[in-house]
Amino acid sequence: MEQVNLQKIRNIGIMAHIDAGKTTVSERILFYTGKRHKLGEVHEGNAVMDWMEQEQERGITITSAATSVPWNDYTINLIDTPGHVDFTVEVERSLRVLDGAVALFCAKGGVEPQSETVWRQAEKYRVPRIAFVNKMDIKGADFYKVVESIKTKLGAHPLPITLPIGREEEFTGVIDLIYNNAIKYQDDLGRNVEVCEIPDEYKQVAKNARSAILEACVDYDESLMERFFEGDDFTATEIISILRKATVDMKVVPVLCGSAYRNKGVQKLLDTVVDLLPSPADVPPMKGEWNGKELLRESNDKAPTAGLAFKIMVDPFLGKLVYFRVYSGVVKKGSTLLNSTKEKKERIGRILKMHANASTDIDSAYAGDIVVLAGLKDTTTGDTICDPNNPIILEKMVFPDPVIRVAIEPKTKLGQEKMGIGLSKLAEEDPTFRTYSDKDTGQTIIAGMGELHLEIIVDRLLREYKVEANVGKPQVSYRETIKREARGEGKFIRQSGGKGQYGHVVLVISPKDPGTGFEFIDETVGGTVPKEYVKPVEEGVKEAARAGIIAGYELVDFKVRLIDGSYHEVDSSEMAFRIAGSMGLKDAVSRAGATILEPVMAVEVTAPDDYLGDVLGTLNSRRGQIKTIEDKSGVKAVEADVPLSEMFGYATNLRSATQGRGNYTMQLGCYLEVPKSEFERITGTKR
């Protein structure tokens, strides 16, 4: 591949709530950049970026798709991400490797629940953003209301740089506040554009909005203050230069508007991506470590090679494909690099430039590139691949645990092996999907982020791996925890002639804050438990916690202190102390007020005003706690916290209660203690 000037590269993602128009915007970008000569439509099932059969049938994005497009001498590497919360991992891992993002908002819906989730993910990875208010042509569109909701709900500093001319059916173009002119679209494809003076009725509102831009520039660069107060105007070049720095530093979020479906405003969005979002050279050096020492990798071709594998895909023809962001150095076809995460050498068989699910072979990839590597054997999502002579492990990605699980079995005996292979390959692709065997029942269990997530997995098993399977009822991934400190003792003694087994420990367990995990501390003195047996005790405690103590669910958020014990010169062994650790934990938990936590979902239901009472009834009957009720463009939006166990089948329930006019979204909110009645139902014991 020809080496491109780093300043001329933009690695961006498109992120938003479901149905805000991400894929339609991506398709228009392909059209206007000449990558595609026909417009792809989501509702017609022919969108390039939604290439999976499941995506085309459902009209939603399931997997993030990557492509590379040219625009005004720049190269834009674009990733279209899903909006559905079940596939939030696709957004998470894409944002991890991107330099900038376009946050899409529906002109009617504004900031919706999943908008907040992806915004927080972008904050976590410090990804600069511009916002695009899409669907300005639909009934109920309100640009200014959306800008206000970005400010209040997301805590951002939105700065409109274009304003709409008209709205709903009257939407005909945009006012460009940087260049101080109007852009009117004369044809259906948005190619015949008239650049003219701002219409008289918009001059005052445009003047005020442009003043806000100039004030933001002055706030960011105080050296311009004198010119500003003297009434001196700034050139478009000056404004772009300052806004670019402010955007990269995440001080402002420039906001544009348009209608991708009606082909209005997308070219201006592309110009803004190039003008205001960072190049790989603008972002800080990547942090990493090796042997406890912090290291940095500058984004240039001469630095030692380092990059991150952020996504795995198994292609039926090409085999295992690793989506890879090159942060520094050069990756060459046929070279051998180090997977520093696993400390294994990997040979680069092929390097591919992707366009959705199509690909082109290239010989080299340079700093700033997003490519696909073929031929890697041991690499999984989140691994660092680097120069063997300059090892580094880049900051890892953290993925959420599954919240729902079902049992699955093949319909035929012949399908057992094929199902095992299929599930392991799907789990390799998706870090939020897990598969394992239940020790008690021998069943194969699959676990994921929601009902749709698991439905897609089962569908892919059938289509890609030709395995028909029966699926059980969904089960919730509960967790166990403790409420108070308690002491426990574990003593394992076996004597059966010859060498026996002896392990004895005394533990104290105490609760930790939610989400802080497990901690083990050795507080023994005087060699009561020899140092070589401390690790086996910890492993025994971890094993018992994973298996669950009161109902078979993982025990979380607790600290264990090993305070005492005893050993036998001859009979003690690692196995004996591992079992003693497990017994000690069970003994302590029985005194520590053990309880069960359930995943509680943050649910938003939207329905016409007439059905508000029915909607509240559906939520109350499912142990829902109503938080807010708001008016949103002629409909009522109800936010509530509802236990996941009560949400199965809710779509049907809501449809019948609202005559098909209600919609809902949900995402994991937190884990809370189950009520007494639920505890007794889950454990089968009286409390």
Side-chain angles (χ1 to χ4, degrees):
M1 188 173 109
E2 197 180 315
Q3 191 172 356
V4 181
N5 178 349
L6 269 186
Q7 297 285 357
K8 298 268 184 179
I9 293 176
R10 298 289 180 272
N11 291 317
I12 66 157
I14 297 186
M15 59 182 212
H17 184 84
I18 193 167
D19 211 24
K22 293 177 298 303
T23 301
T24 304
V25 169
S26 301
E27 293 297 321
R28 296 310 184 264
I29 288 173
L30 296 181
F31 179 69
Y32 290 123
T33 56
K35 195 80 178 183
R36 195 178 189 210
H37 301 292
K38 178 177 177 293
L39 288 173
E41 302 293 3
V42 175
H43 61 275
E44 290 174 9
N46 62 1
V48 172
M49 301 299 268
D50 281 352
W51 55 269
M52 287 173 69
E53 290 175 4
Q54 293 89 339
E55 294 178 315
Q56 291 166 359
E57 287 169 4
R58 289 170 171 81
I60 61 169
T61 302
I62 292 167
T63 180
S64 50
T67 190
S68 186
V69 297
W71 186 253
N72 295 349
D73 294 333
Y74 287 78
T75 298
I76 300 174
N77 294 319
L78 173 74
I79 296 183
D80 172 30
T81 63
H84 198 288
V85 67
D86 282 14
F87 309 106
T88 189
V89 63
E90 291 288 341
V91 187
E92 183 93 15
R93 59 183 170 191
S94 301
L95 285 172
R96 171 65 179 79
V97 297
L98 293 172
D99 303 322
V102 177
L104 240 62
F105 298 93
C106 170
K108 181 180 176 182
V111 176
E112 296 172 279
Q114 186 65 3
S115 318
E116 295 184 48
T117 302
V118 295
W119 196 269
R120 282 198 303 272
Q121 288 170 316
E123 287 285 336
K124 182 165 101 179
Y125 293 118
R126 306 259 333 133
V127 178
R129 278 140 282 166
I130 58 177
F132 184 72
V133 179
N134 192 25
K135 301 190 177 184
M136 280 304 306
D137 59 311
I138 66 169
K139 195 168 173 58
D142 190 333
F143 174 76
Y144 300 99
K145 193 174 176 182
V146 177
V147 172
E148 185 58 30
S149 70
I150 293 171
K151 186 176 180 179
T152 53
K153 290 191 174 179
L154 302 177
H157 180 189
L159 192 66
I161 58 170
T162 68
L163 298 178
I165 298 174
R167 58 187 251 192
E168 300 177 353
E169 289 178 3
E170 307 288 309
F171 178 64
T172 55
V174 297
I175 295 166
D176 186 336
L177 296 169
I178 293 177
Y179 288 93
N180 221 5
N181 57 27
I183 301 167
K184 290 188 175 179
Y185 298 92
Q186 307 293 323
D187 66 341
D188 290 342
L189 287 178
R191 281 187 158 159
N192 187 358
V193 175
E194 181 195 354
V195 178
C196 55
E197 258 196 51
I198 297 169
D200 289 344
E201 66 269 33
Y202 289 100
K203 279 186 174 167
Q204 189 57 48
V205 71
K207 185 180 178 184
N208 296 343
R210 195 165 195 272
S211 293
I213 293 175
L214 300 184
E215 281 174 33
C217 291
V218 170
D219 282 346
Y220 187 78
D221 186 347
E222 291 183 2
S223 65
L224 301 168
M225 193 158 314
E226 199 173 316
R227 280 179 61 191
F228 177 70
F229 284 122
E230 284 174 2
D232 204 359
D233 198 6
F234 301 156
T235 66
T237 307
E238 285 176 315
I239 293 171
I240 288 169
S241 171
I242 300 161
L243 274 189
R244 178 182 173 77
K245 290 174 189 163
T247 306
V248 171
D249 284 352
M250 295 171 58
K251 300 293 184 198
V252 299
V253 178
V255 185
L256 300 98
C257 61
S259 167
Y261 182 59
R262 300 286 175 207
N263 308 310
K264 294 178 171 67
V266 178
Q267 296 105 313
K268 185 65 200 168
L269 175 63
L270 283 165
D271 289 339
T272 308
V273 163
V274 164
D275 286 344
L276 302 186
L277 285 178
S279 73
D282 296 321
V283 295
M286 277 303 296
K287 289 180 182 173
E289 59 90 25
W290 186 253
N291 289 337
K293 184 181 173 188
E294 187 174 292
L295 301 168
L296 295 175
R297 285 288 181 270
E298 295 277 351
S299 189
N300 69 62
D301 301 332
K302 295 185 173 57
T305 302
L308 196 74
F310 67 96
K311 175 176 166 140
I312 306 293
M313 233 177 73
V314 180
D315 185 278
F317 306 107
L318 299 170
K320 180 174 168 180
L321 301 178
V322 177
Y323 281 72
F324 186 70
R325 163 71 195 259
V326 187
Y327 281 107
S328 60
V330 181
V331 178
K332 292 185 177 170
K333 187 168 79 173
S335 62
T336 299
L337 296 174
L338 174 70
N339 178 332
S340 53
T341 311
K342 296 195 170 69
E343 296 194 30
K344 291 188 175 180
K345 294 275 182 75
E346 291 274 29
R347 188 176 180 279
I348 311 301
R350 292 170 72 186
I351 305 174
L352 306 167
K353 201 76 178 159
M354 295 305 286
H355 175 47
N357 64 333
S359 59
T360 310
D361 274 272
I362 54 176
D363 294 326
S364 308
Y366 300 90
D369 283 338
I370 293 176
V371 294
V372 166
L373 306 180
L376 278 60
K377 290 185 170 59
D378 298 303
T379 300
T380 52
T381 301
D383 287 357
T384 299
I385 298 173
C386 61
D387 178 349
N389 300 318
N390 293 279
I392 184 173
I393 296 178
L394 301 173
E395 285 178 324
K396 288 189 173 70
M397 292 186 266
V398 180
F399 300 114
D401 289 327
V403 296
I404 184 174
R405 61 188 184 182
V406 297
I408 185 170
E409 59 183 31
K411 287 185 177 176
T412 64
K413 236 181 172 158
L414 288 171
Q416 187 71 48
E417 192 180 338
K418 278 162 75 179
M419 186 179 86
I421 293 167
L423 288 176
S424 65
K425 286 186 175 177
L426 291 169
E428 192 177 16
E429 287 185 22
D430 184 350
T432 57
F433 170 64
R434 312 269 167 84
T435 176
Y436 59 93
S437 284
D438 189 299
K439 282 186 282 189
D440 297 329
T441 63
Q443 288 178 303
T444 300
I445 305 293
I446 57 174
M449 299 307 293
E451 287 179 277
L452 180 62
H453 188 194
L454 295 185
E455 187 188 314
I456 298 293
I457 293 286
V458 174
D459 195 32
R460 289 187 65 192
L461 263 185
L462 173 64
R463 296 192 195 204
E464 293 169 34
Y465 299 97
K466 308 293 183 275
V467 178
E468 287 192 62
N470 293 318
V471 180
K473 282 188 176 176
Q475 287 183 305
V476 177
S477 288
Y478 294 101
R479 293 179 179 177
E480 298 176 11
T481 194
I482 55 170
K483 292 182 179 180
R484 56 179 177 266
E485 187 170 284
R487 178 186 171 111
E489 188 171 3
K491 189 177 275 191
F492 180 67
I493 304 172
R494 285 282 182 278
Q495 209 66 49
S496 54
K499 188 175 184 301
Q501 294 282 0
Y502 183 93
H504 172 223
V505 296
V506 180
L507 309 170
V508 174
I509 65 170
S510 50
K512 290 182 70 185
D513 290 335
T516 51
F518 166 73
E519 187 181 356
F520 183 88
I521 303 168
D522 175 21
E523 292 184 357
T524 55
V525 289
T528 52
V529 175
K531 291 295 174 201
E532 66 266 27
Y533 296 138
V534 171
K535 192 73 181 163
V537 173
E538 183 181 350
E539 286 167 4
V541 167
K542 282 181 179 173
E543 278 174 22
R546 272 195 297 270
I549 311 295
I550 53 175
Y553 299 105
E554 187 180 0
L555 185 72
V556 296
D557 302 330
F558 68 104
K559 177 167 76 175
V560 171
R561 290 164 30 232
L562 174 60
I563 60 168
D564 202 2
S566 60
Y567 70 103
H568 189 280
E569 290 283 0
V570 178
D571 291 348
S572 284
S573 66
E574 289 190 2
M575 176 64 75
F577 272 96
R578 180 181 289 198
I579 295 169
S582 171
M583 293 166 69
L585 181 73
K586 288 173 183 172
D587 185 44
V589 168
S590 67
R591 299 185 180 88
T595 189
I596 291 176
L597 303 174
E598 64 181 346
V600 175
M601 311 305 284
V603 178
E604 183 183 70
V605 185
T606 54
D609 291 6
D610 302 352
Y611 300 103
L612 179 61
D614 297 309
V615 167
L616 296 178
T618 64
L619 294 169
N620 288 328
S621 68
R622 292 169 181 264
R623 294 196 284 128
Q625 298 285 322
I626 310 297
K627 284 163 58 183
T628 62
I629 301 173
E630 284 181 20
D631 281 307
K632 264 194 181 177
S633 309
V635 296
K636 282 282 192 278
V638 181
E639 288 186 16
D641 289 335
V642 190
L644 176 61
S645 59
E646 303 286 345
M647 287 302 293
F648 298 133
Y650 183 64
T652 308
N653 185 210
L654 181 64
R655 267 200 297 271
S656 60
T658 61
Q659 296 182 2
R661 296 173 69 192
N663 289 304
Y664 81 99
T665 57
M666 69 175 186
Q667 56 194 342
L668 181 62
C670 58
Y671 277 82
L672 294 176
E673 185 180 351
V674 297
K676 182 183 172 188
S677 58
E678 281 294 294
F679 181 90
E680 290 173 355
R681 181 186 66 79
I682 294 164
T683 60
T685 59
K686 286 282 182 192
R687 202 166 193 186

